[in-house]
Structure formats: C-alpha cells, structure tokens
Amino acid sequence: MTYLNPEHSATLTTINDLLTMKQEGIKISCLTAYDASFSALIDEVGVDVMLVGDSLGMVVQGHDTTLPVTIDEMAYHSRCVTQARKRAFVIADLPFMTYTTPAIAAENAARLMQEGGVQMVKLEGPHFEIVSFLVNLGVPVCAHLGLLPQSINQLGSYKVQGKNINEAAKIKNDALKLQEAGASLLILECVPADLAREITAQLAIPVIGIGAGVDCDGQVLVLYDMLDIGIGKRPRFSKNFMVDATSIAGAIEAYHEAVKAQHFPSVEHAF
Ligand code: KIV
C-alpha cells in the first residue's frame, strides 16, 4: 500500500509521539480550539494537542453548561479545526448523551473522525465497556475523570473532586480500569495535585491535567480562559496569559513554554 501524502504523515503528531513524550518526561501542551483561525495560530506556535471541547457550548455559544452541544456542532467545529492544522494532534469531545450505548458511541465517534477529521474522541466518566468497544473498532479514546462538566446537574456546582479517601480511591481505580479498557490518554479535571501525581505515576498512558497540578504529563486550558476573553469568571486553576503578552500568538507561546518548563500550573492554580 502506498501512503498518499508522506509529508502529512511525517509531520502530524501521533498518539505514539505523545506516549514517547510521557516516557521521556517531556510535558505535553494542549489547548482547546473551535475554529480555523485559532487552530492555525495554535498549530504554528507548536502546541502539541488541540481539544475541540464541548466547552464551546459555553464559550462560543453562550450556554450555561456544555449540555446543549450536539454531535452536528461538534463535527462542524472539529472540521474547522482539523482543516487548518498541519501538525498538532486533535481530539474532539463526544457531547452529552451521544455515547449512551456502544453502538451509539461508535456511530457518533465515526462522525467526529470521518466528518470532523479528528484523531481521537474523548468521553467523560468511567464507561469501560464503551471505551473497549470503540477501541476494538479502531477508535482511539481519551478518557476524562475528576470533574465531569456533563454531569453538572448531578454535581450541583463545578467543584474539586477526589478530596476524600473514598472518592480519591475510586478515581484512581477508574483510571486504571480505563487504561485496561484501552484508553490511550486521560484528562484529569479539578482533582488534588497529590492525587493527580499518583495517577500519573501509576498509568502508562499520558495524563493531561486541568486544575490537577504540575505533575501530570501535560496541561490543557480552555483557550478563551487563558486569553481572558471568556464570559464570566475565569476558573481559579486557569491563568490570564494575555497580561504579559503583546499579541494573542505571544500569549499562546507563553502558555506553551510555561507548560514545557513546568512553570504552569503553579501552586496558586492547583488544589
Ligand atoms: O470541553 C472542554 O474544553 C474540556 C476541557 C475542560 C478538558 O473537556
């Protein structure tokens, strides 16, 4: 078989590259992206991973939660992002209620990969059977534990998870089981830094943190929060990188470098 575009396959970041980065202790930088212009800019700066997050429901569409986001919208925004990038690895969220059974999850993951062009899909929570079903079909999966924004109506507020021993043990156990089910990446959101450090050390797959301390294998932030253009209050774990920058590209570069050098997050951004 001939690979049609060797230049493409030579430059695009792969899941193997991310795994090597974990093994070599090189931090992984990740930002959310929702459109072509930001995608091109983030890609140009050299950020390793872009996440087409369902946070677009809040920062782009102006909803209070991520729940109204549809699979059509995720496929559309994913396509906008992947069309404009040359190098970064791209993940997209399966939105609320689009992975209620293995078959439904597979149908929607196929849309994000085929229409949206993403390399991996992300789903929230300990859904071992669904992860394993997708992986067996050839769909790379990013798991997401800790604070699960799609469960906000059960949680009541966006608060730190895993603060007591039982909660922490459950998150740790779920992380191991998701890895066993075949997940190749884990996002840990809003958990104590000590817990995130333990999970990162215990897993072979890369762990990307948001509000999870500096010892994860990488960091992700919502783009609009770190540029301080989001609606409402910026979360405590995020940082305004525009403050010391003279351009948007400069702020993104400062974030990327701070992640690589482990200058971000500092203790004030951790729990
Ligand atoms: O939707 C999103 O942007 C996310 C990040 C907060 C991790 O899931």
Side-chain angles (χ1 to χ4, degrees):
M1 182 165 113
T2 309
Y3 290 94
L4 294 177
N5 185 347
E7 194 185 314
H8 185 262
S9 54
T11 55
L12 201 61
T13 304
T14 67
I15 185 59
N16 295 336
D17 296 325
L18 302 180
L19 190 56
T20 303
M21 288 170 77
K22 172 171 180 122
Q23 288 161 353
E24 294 183 353
I26 300 167
K27 297 289 173 181
I28 300 167
S29 61
C30 176
L31 278 175
T32 65
Y34 317 104
D35 67 32
S37 299
F38 273 120
S39 168
L41 196 59
I42 293 168
D43 195 74
E44 183 71 32
V45 165
V47 171
D48 301 303
V49 180
M50 283 189 271
L51 169 66
V52 187
D54 60 358
S55 51
L56 71 85
M58 298 168 81
V59 299
V60 175
Q61 299 174 332
H63 298 299
D64 284 345
T65 71
T66 59
L67 273 56
V69 178
T70 66
I71 192 71
D72 286 350
E73 290 163 349
M74 288 306 300
Y76 167 80
H77 284 280
S78 296
R79 174 51 64 192
C80 295
V81 168
T82 56
Q83 266 177 183
R85 72 86 158 75
K86 294 195 173 75
R87 197 200 33 77
F89 189 82
V90 181
I91 307 170
D93 268 327
L94 280 165
F96 182 58
M97 286 294 156
T98 62
Y99 47 100
T100 47
T101 68
I104 291 172
E107 196 178 309
N108 288 315
R111 290 200 57 193
L112 295 180
M113 294 183 77
Q114 294 183 303
E115 292 172 39
V118 305
Q119 290 152 284
M120 179 178 275
V121 302
K122 173 163 87 60
L123 55 89
E124 293 184 9
H127 300 291
F128 315 114
E129 193 199 344
I130 288 172
V131 170
S132 150
F133 189 79
L134 290 177
V135 170
N136 284 329
L137 290 174
V139 177
V141 176
C142 175
H144 181 154
L145 292 175
L147 175 61
L148 307 177
Q150 292 176 11
S151 303
I152 185 60
N153 290 321
Q154 285 178 327
L155 295 170
S157 67
Y158 295 102
K159 56 181 179 247
V160 183
Q161 304 292 305
K163 278 170 74 173
N164 69 50
I165 290 177
N166 291 342
E167 266 183 28
K170 172 154 172 44
I171 295 174
K172 226 187 308 180
N173 190 41
D174 286 348
L176 261 182
K177 281 163 71 181
L178 284 163
Q179 174 175 270
E180 277 163 26
S184 16
L185 212 58
L186 172 68
I187 288 201
L188 267 185
E189 180 165 356
C190 277
V191 298
D194 289 351
L195 174 61
R197 184 186 313 116
E198 257 186 76
I199 293 174
T200 304
Q202 124 187 310
L203 295 192
I205 59 172
V207 176
I208 313 274
I210 174 164
V214 74
D215 293 315
C216 297
D217 299 306
Q219 301 294 328
V220 57
L221 282 182
V222 170
L223 176 71
Y224 288 30
D225 289 341
M226 56 78 75
L227 294 179
D228 205 32
I229 53 173
I231 307 166
K233 197 166 167 270
R234 194 179 56 250
R236 155 143 115 69
F237 57 75
S238 192
K239 178 179 168 179
N240 177 2
F241 280 88
M242 277 307 284
V243 163
D244 298 316
T246 52
S247 67
I248 289 173
I252 293 172
E253 199 168 354
Y255 165 73
H256 172 68
E257 282 169 6
V259 170
K260 294 287 174 188
Q262 299 179 59
H263 293 158
F264 178 82
S266 56
V267 278
E268 71 195 275
H269 306 114
F271 301 104

